[in-house]
Amino acid sequence: MSRTTRNRLRLGLGASAFLLAVGLVPAPAHADDVTDYAITVDPGTKGAKIDDTMYGVFFEDINRAADGGLYAELVQNRSFEYSTDDNKSYTPLTAWTVDGTAQVVNDDGRLNARNRNYLSLGAGSSVTNAGYNTGVRVEEGKKYDFSVWSRAESGTTLTVSLQDADGSLATARRVAVRKGGWAQYKATFTATRTSSNGRLTVGTSAATALDMVSLFPRDTYKHEPNGLRKDLAEKIAALHPGFVRFPGGCLVNTGSMADYSEASGYQRKRSYQWKDTIGPVETRATNSNFWGYNQSYGLGYYEYFRLAEDIGAMPLPVVPALVTGCGQNKATDDDALLKRHIQDTLDLIEFANGPVTSEWGRKRAQMGHPKPFHLTHIEVGNEENLPTEFFARFKQFRAAIQAEYPHMQVISNSGPDDSGTTFDTAWQLNKDAKVDMVDEHYYNSPQWFLQNNDRYDSYDRNGPKVFLGEYASGGNAFKNGLAEAAYMTGLERNADVVKLASYAPLFANEDYVQWSPDMVWFNNHASWGSANYEVQKLFMNNVGDRVVPSTATGTPSLLAPITGAVGLSTWATSAAYDDVKVTDADGGTLFSDDFSGDASKWTHTGAGSWSIQDGQYVQTDTAAENTMVSAGDTSWHDYDLHAKATKKSGKEGFLVAFGVKDTGNYYWWNLGGWGNTQSAVEQAVDGGKSTLIAKAGSVETGRTYDIDVKVRGRQVTLYLDGRQWGSFTDDKPAEPFRQVVTKDQKTGDLIVKVVNAQASATRTAIDLGGAKVVSKARVTTLAAAPDAVNTETSTAVTPVTSTFAGVADTFSYTFPANSITFLRIKQR
C-alpha cells in the first residue's frame, strides 16, 4: 500500500472514498501472481450446520436502555416513585419542578398497593417534567398522547401544556377531572414545532391528586399504547437477530429475592422478577436498578415477548437462581423462597405458551395476545461466582421445568470470566449433569480476540453446547469491530458447539452511561450504530445455513521477548511498597529502590496520592483506581522483579506491574482484586485488559508480602512469599487474517468472509475446490481507519457494496487494509 493511502487511513477517510483510493475491484490473477495469503475451500465436505438462531441480541436495562431509551415514555419519574434506594441523589420529585404547592404522598389514598406514591397538587399550582437528556423530544406535525390518573374531592380542571424556552410546542389542553376516586384522563397533542428541549407542565385549578403522568409518541414501533421507541427498535430489527435475551444481566441476580408486597416491606432493591412487570402499567411494581437508577417496569416481560415476535426472533428470558452475583456473591438459603421462584418460572412458561384456558395464558390473552409466544429456551441464573451453590439450585429448577415441559432447553452458565477456578468448576458441574447449554461471558482486549479464534476448536463435541451470551473487545473503534469479526469467524467455524452468540451491551444513552462500549448509542432525538453494530449487522444478515470447510495460510509471526519497565499500583486501596529491585538474568542489578531517599526514580501516571513515609512508598487514597507509578527502561527483558507490599486499608490488595510500555500497555499481577476475592495476572493492550491466569484468594491488611516476578522470553513465573503462585506463557499470535466460508441453502451462495485486521492490503489466492460458480460476486466491505468511530453526525464505519466480476474456481482478491469483506458467490 502506498504511503498516501496509509495517510488517508490515519486521517479516517470514509469507507467509500477509501475503497476508491485502494481500487477495490481487483482483476482476476494469473497463476504466477504473487499473493500474501491462500484460502482453500472444500465444497464437497459438509461442515457444521448453522442454526437460524446463531446470532442474537442481549437487552439489559443498563445505560438507561429502557426508561429514557427503548421504552417510548417521554416523562421521567412519571409515578413519583424515585427513591434514594435507586440513587442517593434521587427524591420523589426528581425530574420535576413545582410552581406553587405540591407534595409526594405515600398513604392509603394511593392509586393501588403496588403504586405507592402519588402527588398532591395544591389549587393554582403546577408541576413541570424535564424528560430525559435535554428534555422532551417532539417533532412537528406528530401526535403525542397524554394520560394521567387523577382524583379530586371537588372536581377540577387540569391545564396541560408542552413548551420549551422559545415558547409553546403544541396547543395546550384542558382536561376536566370529575369529583370522586381515581380515574384515568387522556388528551392528544400535535406538535407545532420540533424541539429536543421540551417540558410537560400539568397545572390544576383546584386541589387534586396525580399519578402516572405520561406522554407517549403516537408513532411507536408496531404497537401503541405502551410502545417502543421506533428508531431504537428498528435498529434491533435491522440486525435480523435470531434471539433476544432479556432482561439481564446483573438485574436478574442481584438484590433481594423477595417480592414487592406488604409482607416483604415493599423492598426496592430486588432481583428482576417477571410477575412484577406484567398487567396494566399503573399496577406494575417499581424497582431499584442495579446500575444506579430507577426502573419503572413499563417495559416488561409482555413487551419483551412482543418485541421478539415482531422482529422474528426467539425469546430467551433469564430468571434468578437465588444466588447473587455481580460482586454480591451470596446464596439465598430459604427453601420456601426457592420453591416460589421455581413455581414462578413454571408460571412464566405458561404465560408464554399456555392456552387461554390456563391461569397465566389467560393473563397473556387479557393483555392482548391470545396466541402463545412459542418459548423454547429459558436461562436460569447469570454469571454466578459461587458455582457449587448455583448449580445445586439450578438442578432443582431444571428438574421442575423438564418434568412439566420436557422439550424446554434450560440454559446454565459458567460464571463471569473466560477461564479460572470458577469457570473450570462450573463447566465440570455442567458436563457431569449433561446440561443442554452453558452461557459464557467475557469482556477482553482486541488482542485476546485475535489470539483466541481457535477457542472452541477443542471443545467437546458431545458435551453441553455453548451460548456466548455476552462478549465485547472493550471499545467502539473499528479496530474493536475488526477483532470481534475475526473472532466471529471462529464462532461460525464451530457452529456445532457454539449455538447462540450476542454482543453486549446493546444500548447506551449518551448522557447516562454506566458501561462502555455499547453497540447502539442514542440521546432523546437521535441514535447511531457503532462500528461494532455494523460488524454484527453484516454477520447477522449473511449467516448462511452450513459451514463449508476451508483453510487459510497464516501470517508469519516472530514473537519477541516480553519487554518493559516495572510498576506499582493500587485500586480503591491504600498500600505501602518497599525494597523494589530488578535484576537481569545473570543477577546483575538493573534497578533498586529502598525508599530511603526521595521518589525521583518513579513516574506517576495514574490517579491517587503517593509519598515516601518511614522508608516506604505509600499510596494513601482509598477511593482512587489505578494509581500506577513506573520506573526503569521499556527495553528491559529477561529480568526478575522483587518488591515488598503491605495493604494498609481499603477494598482490595495491590498490583505489581511488569512489561510496562506505557499507560495502556503492560502486565500486572493483581493481588486481592475484585473486592479482595481473587488474584490474577492481567494484560493491558491499548487500554483493554484480558486475564491470563486467575486464582481465588485475598490479601490481609497489615501483613507484608514478598512478591517476585520472573520474566524469561515470553514465560512469566510468579512467587508469593517464596512459593510459586503460578506461571504462564504469553505466546499466542494475534492472527490478523481470519476467514470462514458458509453456504446459504436458499440462494445457493457461497459466502466467503474475510477479516484483514492489519495496516496493509492482502492479495489472496482463493481456491473454491472445483465448485461451479458464476463469475460475478456481490461484495460487502467494511473498511476504515483502526481508530474510526461512528457518532451522531459522522458514520466513518459503514458498509459499501460492489460487484466483483473475476470469480472463478481459482482466483485472487485483494482485501483492503483494516477491512471485513463478504463475497457472496453464486453457484451454478
Side-chain angles (χ1 to χ4, degrees):
M1 181 182 290
S2 70
R3 183 180 299 167
T4 305
T5 305
R6 284 202 180 95
N7 288 339
R8 284 177 178 160
L9 273 173
R10 290 194 191 100
L11 292 169
L13 193 65
S16 56
F18 169 67
L19 293 180
L20 290 172
V22 298
L24 189 105
V25 188
H30 297 291
D32 56 354
D33 277 358
V34 176
T35 55
D36 302 304
Y37 294 90
I39 296 172
T40 305
V41 184
D42 181 7
T45 302
K46 268 193 172 183
K49 181 181 182 297
I50 306 175
D51 295 341
D52 292 341
T53 51
M54 174 75 186
Y55 295 122
V57 293
F58 165 48
F59 182 92
E60 178 172 11
D61 188 358
I62 184 173
N63 309 311
R64 283 225 179 262
D67 295 331
L70 184 61
Y71 186 49
E73 174 66 76
L74 297 172
V75 176
Q76 185 178 176
N77 190 17
R78 66 182 178 185
S79 194
F80 310 102
E81 298 289 342
Y82 276 27
S83 161
T84 52
D85 283 339
D86 308 323
N87 188 296
K88 288 179 181 177
S89 68
Y90 281 1
T91 75
L93 281 171
T94 292
W96 294 93
T97 53
V98 177
D99 185 1
T101 59
Q103 181 182 3
V104 176
V105 182
N106 179 346
D107 65 13
D108 291 341
R110 63 179 66 87
L111 180 58
N112 60 66
R114 286 159 68 82
N115 196 327
R116 308 294 291 166
N117 291 350
Y118 65 93
L119 185 74
S120 176
L121 189 61
S125 301
S126 65
V127 285
T128 298
N129 191 266
Y132 297 94
N133 301 93
T134 55
V136 174
R137 164 70 174 183
V138 296
E139 294 181 50
E140 182 179 353
K142 292 197 172 179
K143 293 185 182 299
Y144 297 84
D145 293 322
F146 168 82
S147 66
V148 64
W149 284 80
S150 183
R151 63 172 171 79
E153 293 183 7
S154 59
T156 186
T157 298
L158 302 179
T159 302
V160 189
S161 60
L162 268 171
Q163 68 286 323
D164 62 10
D166 294 327
S168 174
L169 294 169
T171 303
R173 294 286 181 260
R174 293 171 65 82
V175 178
V177 176
R178 57 186 175 274
K179 177 181 177 181
W182 287 103
Q184 188 180 39
Y185 300 90
K186 299 179 179 181
T188 298
F189 292 96
T190 301
T192 53
R193 285 192 293 116
T194 293
S195 175
S196 298
N197 308 307
R199 300 291 186 269
L200 176 74
T201 298
V202 182
T204 183
S205 58
T208 186
L210 302 178
D211 205 346
M212 295 296 290
V213 183
S214 172
L215 187 69
F216 255 88
R218 179 76 58 84
D219 187 19
T220 55
Y221 184 74
K222 300 277 189 180
H223 304 277
E224 53 93 14
N226 209 51
L228 304 181
R229 179 170 149 177
K230 196 171 185 180
D231 62 322
L232 296 183
E234 285 177 342
K235 280 190 169 52
I236 303 175
L239 294 168
H240 295 106
F243 65 88
V244 179
R245 177 177 179 250
F246 63 89
C250 290
L251 304 188
V252 169
N253 68 337
T254 53
S256 165
M257 298 293 163
D259 62 0
Y260 192 62
S261 67
E262 185 176 7
S264 66
Y266 293 103
Q267 293 190 38
R268 287 291 288 267
K269 295 187 175 182
R270 310 184 312 286
S271 64
Y272 195 111
Q273 298 172 49
W274 78 272
K275 288 180 180 177
D276 287 342
T277 76
I278 64 165
V281 290
E282 67 274 8
T283 66
R284 298 184 190 182
T286 187
N287 202 1
S288 168
N289 183 297
F290 173 82
W291 299 108
Y293 51 91
N294 175 272
Q295 50 188 342
S296 72
Y297 288 146
L299 175 57
Y301 257 69
Y302 177 74
E303 288 76 25
Y304 285 127
F305 277 126
R306 199 172 59 181
L307 170 64
E309 180 180 70
D310 286 342
I311 63 177
M314 176 180 81
L316 204 166
V318 187
V319 298
L322 273 73
V323 178
T324 56
C326 303
Q328 296 183 359
N329 301 340
K330 180 184 176 185
T332 301
D333 290 316
D334 183 332
D335 194 52
L337 189 59
L338 176 62
K339 284 183 168 61
R340 194 268 286 174
H341 274 267
I342 291 172
Q343 186 58 51
D344 280 356
T345 303
L346 296 173
D347 292 343
L348 170 59
I349 298 170
E350 184 176 284
F351 177 77
N353 294 351
V356 295
T357 53
S358 65
E359 178 186 358
W360 293 98
R362 184 181 308 113
K363 291 184 186 295
R364 181 193 69 239
Q366 288 168 349
M367 294 186 72
H369 202 285
K371 292 182 179 178
F373 284 117
H374 305 295
L375 179 66
T376 58
H377 294 61
I378 194 162
E379 184 171 356
V380 177
N382 170 76
E383 291 190 11
E384 280 71 29
N385 228 332
L386 302 172
T388 305
E389 293 86 341
F390 159 72
F391 208 74
R393 290 154 181 79
F394 171 84
K395 286 194 295 185
Q396 294 186 60
F397 275 88
R398 184 177 68 160
I401 292 167
Q402 293 191 333
E404 204 160 321
Y405 302 99
H407 300 297
M408 188 65 57
Q409 280 220 15
V410 186
I411 301 171
S412 178
N413 74 81
S414 59
D417 299 304
D418 62 86
S419 59
T421 306
T422 295
F423 179 87
D424 292 339
T425 303
W427 254 107
Q428 193 59 54
L429 290 166
N430 284 309
K431 283 181 180 176
D432 292 345
K434 294 181 168 52
V435 166
D436 292 329
M437 191 178 290
V438 178
D439 188 0
E440 293 188 354
H441 294 178
Y442 37 84
Y443 297 89
N444 290 322
S445 69
Q447 171 147 321
W448 185 94
F449 283 95
L450 291 174
Q451 287 175 321
N452 286 278
N453 178 276
D454 64 349
R455 175 181 176 89
Y456 296 107
D457 291 0
S458 58
Y459 270 49
D460 181 0
R461 267 45 205 171
N462 298 311
K465 302 306 181 186
V466 172
F467 172 20
L468 180 48
E470 297 183 32
Y471 72 97
S473 69
N476 280 145
F478 188 50
K479 63 187 174 187
N480 300 97
L482 283 167
E484 289 154 8
Y487 194 72
M488 291 169 82
T489 66
L491 300 183
E492 290 191 10
R493 187 175 64 251
N494 289 285
D496 56 328
V497 168
V498 183
K499 306 305 285 184
L500 308 169
S502 50
Y503 178 99
L506 176 58
F507 283 129
N509 185 321
E510 66 174 354
D511 293 330
Y512 309 92
V513 180
Q514 292 86 43
W515 183 285
S516 186
D518 304 281
M519 190 153 64
V520 175
W521 290 81
F522 66 92
N523 49 39
N524 66 355
H525 61 273
S527 59
W528 55 99
S530 64
N532 319 69
Y533 173 86
E534 294 298 343
V535 169
Q536 293 291 323
K537 186 177 176 184
L538 183 58
F539 273 84
M540 287 195 211
N541 283 283
N542 295 277
V543 182
D545 305 283
R546 189 172 289 279
V547 176
V548 180
S550 61
T551 56
T553 52
T555 305
S557 177
L558 295 173
L559 287 172
I562 292 172
T563 60
V566 298
L568 311 170
S569 189
T570 59
W571 197 287
T573 303
S574 173
Y577 288 94
D578 202 358
D579 296 337
V580 178
K581 190 172 184 178
V582 182
T583 55
D584 63 25
D586 297 322
T589 300
L590 297 172
F591 177 88
S592 181
D593 198 341
D594 63 3
F595 304 106
S596 56
D598 59 25
S600 58
K601 296 178 181 178
W602 297 86
T603 301
H604 185 191
T605 56
S609 178
W610 289 87
S611 60
I612 304 287
Q613 298 180 18
D614 301 322
Q616 295 181 309
Y617 201 18
V618 184
Q619 197 292 116
T620 55
D621 186 347
T622 56
E625 297 179 345
N626 191 2
T627 63
M628 180 87 83
V629 290
S630 60
D633 193 325
T634 56
S635 66
W636 281 350
H637 61 89
D638 296 294
Y639 58 76
D640 296 315
L641 164 63
H642 172 79
K644 292 182 181 293
T646 309
K647 174 182 175 177
K648 298 175 75 69
S649 62
K651 295 177 181 177
E652 302 205 350
F654 30 77
L655 303 109
V656 176
F658 53 97
V660 179
K661 293 204 170 33
D662 52 47
T663 56
N665 295 276
Y666 54 85
Y667 301 80
W668 67 17
W669 188 5
N670 185 349
L671 288 143
W674 295 271
N676 204 15
T677 61
Q678 67 173 333
S679 299
V681 176
E682 296 177 282
Q683 180 186 18
V685 178
D686 294 335
K689 285 204 280 292
S690 304
T691 300
L692 302 181
I693 181 174
K695 293 183 180 181
S698 58
V699 165
E700 297 174 30
T701 302
R703 176 182 163 189
T704 298
Y705 292 83
D706 275 300
I707 297 166
D708 290 277
V709 180
K710 180 180 180 179
V711 182
R712 293 293 184 274
R714 300 201 67 81
Q715 183 171 12
V716 178
T717 311
L718 307 115
Y719 301 87
L720 188 61
D721 290 335
R723 300 181 65 177
Q724 183 171 324
W725 176 87
S727 66
F728 67 92
T729 304
D730 179 25
D731 61 355
K732 289 191 83 170
E735 173 60 66
F737 186 86
R738 296 290 187 187
Q739 60 81 37
V740 69
V741 180
T742 64
K743 182 178 180 180
D744 186 331
Q745 304 283 24
K746 199 176 290 183
T747 63
D749 291 357
L750 290 175
I751 312 172
V752 179
K753 311 174 189 186
V754 176
V755 180
N756 180 29
Q758 54 193 332
S760 57
T762 58
R763 189 160 179 79
T764 305
I766 300 173
D767 182 347
L768 296 178
K772 301 288 190 252
V773 294
V774 301
S775 62
K776 286 187 178 178
R778 194 169 91 240
V779 185
T780 306
T781 308
L782 283 172
D787 292 324
V789 294
N790 289 346
T791 67
E792 180 183 349
T793 56
S794 171
T795 310
V797 183
T798 191
V800 174
T801 58
S802 60
T803 300
F804 173 60
V807 178
D809 178 36
T810 58
F811 67 102
S812 69
Y813 192 94
T814 300
F815 296 98
N818 301 305
S819 69
I820 304 160
T821 306
F822 280 27
L823 297 164
R824 289 194 74 115
I825 301 169
K826 288 203 173 298
Q827 295 190 87
R828 287 186 186 140

